[in-house]
Amino acid sequence: MATDGSRGNDSAEAEKAKTESLYREVNERMNEVNAQRASFDLPQDVICECAQPECSELVALTAVEYRGLRLHGTWFVIAPLDEHFFPEIERVVAQDVHYWVVEKHGKAGELAEKLDPRSRRV
């Protein structure tokens, strides 16, 4: 992983965006199952949406926080650790003790919007 802000090639960036979008899709399905919960202020676990294909870290956030995150097709929730952050394709837009929210930019951002499961439901 490049942590110096250097740009990778477009193919590598596309693969990272696809990986993150897959995790987002899984989290969307889990959120639908959890939507019937009585309280929206209780934390729920979601899978880290970082670009690492082997990542299975769980991140805790409330249903309200999750809904706010999903308002943006280029935003993803990741574990709050540098090794989950890829500055060549994203920037941190919010930090919490339990998670970070990153925004994809460039080609990765375009692909993230295209693969956004919420935009396909319209």
Side-chain angles (χ1 to χ4, degrees):
M1 168 184 75
T3 57
D4 60 359
S6 63
R7 302 252 336 141
N9 66 36
D10 288 349
S11 177
E13 289 180 8
E15 282 304 310
K16 288 175 183 167
K18 287 179 185 176
T19 297
E20 293 161 333
S21 293
L22 173 65
Y23 287 133
R24 174 176 56 191
E25 185 87 32
V26 170
N27 285 334
E28 279 292 286
R29 300 299 161 249
M30 289 173 28
N31 186 63
E32 288 173 5
V33 170
N34 290 332
Q36 302 303 315
R37 294 178 308 147
S39 176
F40 291 108
D41 61 348
L42 295 175
Q44 65 181 27
D45 286 335
V46 297
I47 299 170
C48 175
E49 297 172 346
C50 77
Q52 299 180 55
E54 69 281 355
C55 183
S56 60
E57 184 113 11
L58 294 178
V59 179
L61 65 162
T62 68
V64 171
E65 291 168 326
Y66 185 82
R67 284 182 179 173
L69 163 73
R70 292 287 90 106
L71 292 174
H72 307 274
T74 56
W75 286 15
F76 293 82
V77 63
I78 63 170
L81 302 165
D82 285 337
E83 56 266 20
H84 296 266
F85 173 58
F86 293 82
E88 66 273 13
I89 63 166
E90 62 197 10
R91 67 182 184 93
V92 176
V93 294
Q95 290 182 301
D96 182 86
V97 173
H98 304 288
Y99 63 88
W100 292 351
V101 176
V102 294
E103 178 179 43
K104 303 298 171 248
H105 54 72
K107 292 196 185 304
E110 292 171 16
L111 187 54
E113 284 201 32
K114 180 180 177 184
L115 297 173
D116 184 359
R118 291 192 177 203
S119 67
R120 293 192 311 250
R121 289 185 209 154
V122 178

